[in-house]
């Protein structure tokens, strides 16, 4: 009896659709887990950033904790609101966050948070300019 597997049969196993379905499923779960981990890290950064960052979100798990019947409503799972309010103590901080050299860090944080609305307060004479920062900006005070 020959214990070695014929090379043609070895490659035939990899062509089985179940194998590729498993690989694709694992890849999707890894990608979604990575995005969720990155989002949770960004939320922790905002909470530790200081009093001028205010993060408000409507998380489905929190809604279900409040009313268990909400788990059976489609709106609980589809309507996620994520609001970021930047309320700096001084106008200089606002310019640094939204216009100056620190904007690259702020832009990376905004990309990871994926807010549905961004409110910036106490930002006099802020030029939103060529970088098209106004896509998310709901209110500029």
């Amino acid at each position: 009896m020959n214990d070695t597997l014929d090379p043609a049969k070895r490659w035939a196993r990899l062509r089985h659709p179940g194998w590729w379905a498993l690989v694709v499923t694992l890849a999707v779960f890894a990608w979604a887990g990575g995005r969720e981990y990155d989002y949770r890290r960004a939320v922790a950064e905002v909470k530790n950033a200081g009093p001028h960052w205010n993060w408000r979100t409507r998380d489905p798990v929190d809604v279900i904790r409040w009313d268990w019947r909400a788990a059976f409503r489609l709106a609980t799972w589809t309507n996620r609101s994520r609001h970021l309010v930047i309320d700096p103590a001084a106008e200089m901080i606002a310019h640094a966050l939204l216009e100056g050299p620190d904007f690259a860090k702020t832009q990376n944080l905004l990309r990871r948070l994926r807010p549905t609305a961004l409110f910036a307060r106490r930002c006099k004479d802020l030029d939103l300019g060529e970088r098209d920062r106004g896509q998310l900006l709901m209110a500029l005070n």
Side-chain angles (χ1 to χ4, degrees):
M1 180 180 269
N2 190 0
D3 289 336
T4 60
L5 193 62
D6 185 25
K9 289 182 181 177
R10 189 178 311 146
W11 289 109
R13 277 193 225 164
L14 292 178
R15 287 182 286 188
H16 192 275
W19 168 253
W20 290 108
L22 176 67
V23 169
V24 169
T25 302
L26 289 176
V28 166
F29 277 116
W31 174 78
R35 278 187 59 116
E36 186 64 24
Y37 175 75
D38 198 31
Y39 168 73
R40 298 290 176 190
R41 273 192 20 224
V43 169
E45 282 181 36
V46 166
K47 289 183 179 179
N48 294 331
H52 58 274
W53 292 86
N54 189 357
W55 178 249
R56 299 177 197 153
T57 184
R58 187 181 159 270
D59 194 29
V61 176
D62 294 335
V63 172
I64 293 168
R65 282 185 188 141
W66 183 257
D67 179 18
W68 65 270
R69 290 181 218 112
F72 302 105
R73 289 186 215 120
L74 181 63
T76 303
W77 301 102
T78 56
N79 295 341
R80 280 186 97 172
S81 64
R82 298 173 172 179
H83 295 233
L84 179 63
V85 179
I86 301 174
D87 192 10
E91 185 179 335
M92 197 164 91
I93 296 172
H95 282 283
L97 291 175
L98 297 172
E99 190 175 333
D102 291 337
F103 180 69
K105 293 178 189 175
T106 305
Q107 188 177 25
N108 184 25
L109 185 64
L110 290 176
R111 180 190 55 79
R112 290 169 34 217
L113 284 173
R114 299 182 310 270
T116 56
L118 172 64
F119 301 92
R121 296 184 181 149
R122 299 181 193 159
C123 301
K124 293 181 183 176
D125 304 325
L126 185 65
D127 179 27
L128 293 175
E130 74 279 348
R131 291 191 221 169
D132 195 24
R133 295 176 210 136
Q135 287 181 343
L136 289 173
L137 195 62
M138 297 292 290
L140 183 63
N141 185 359

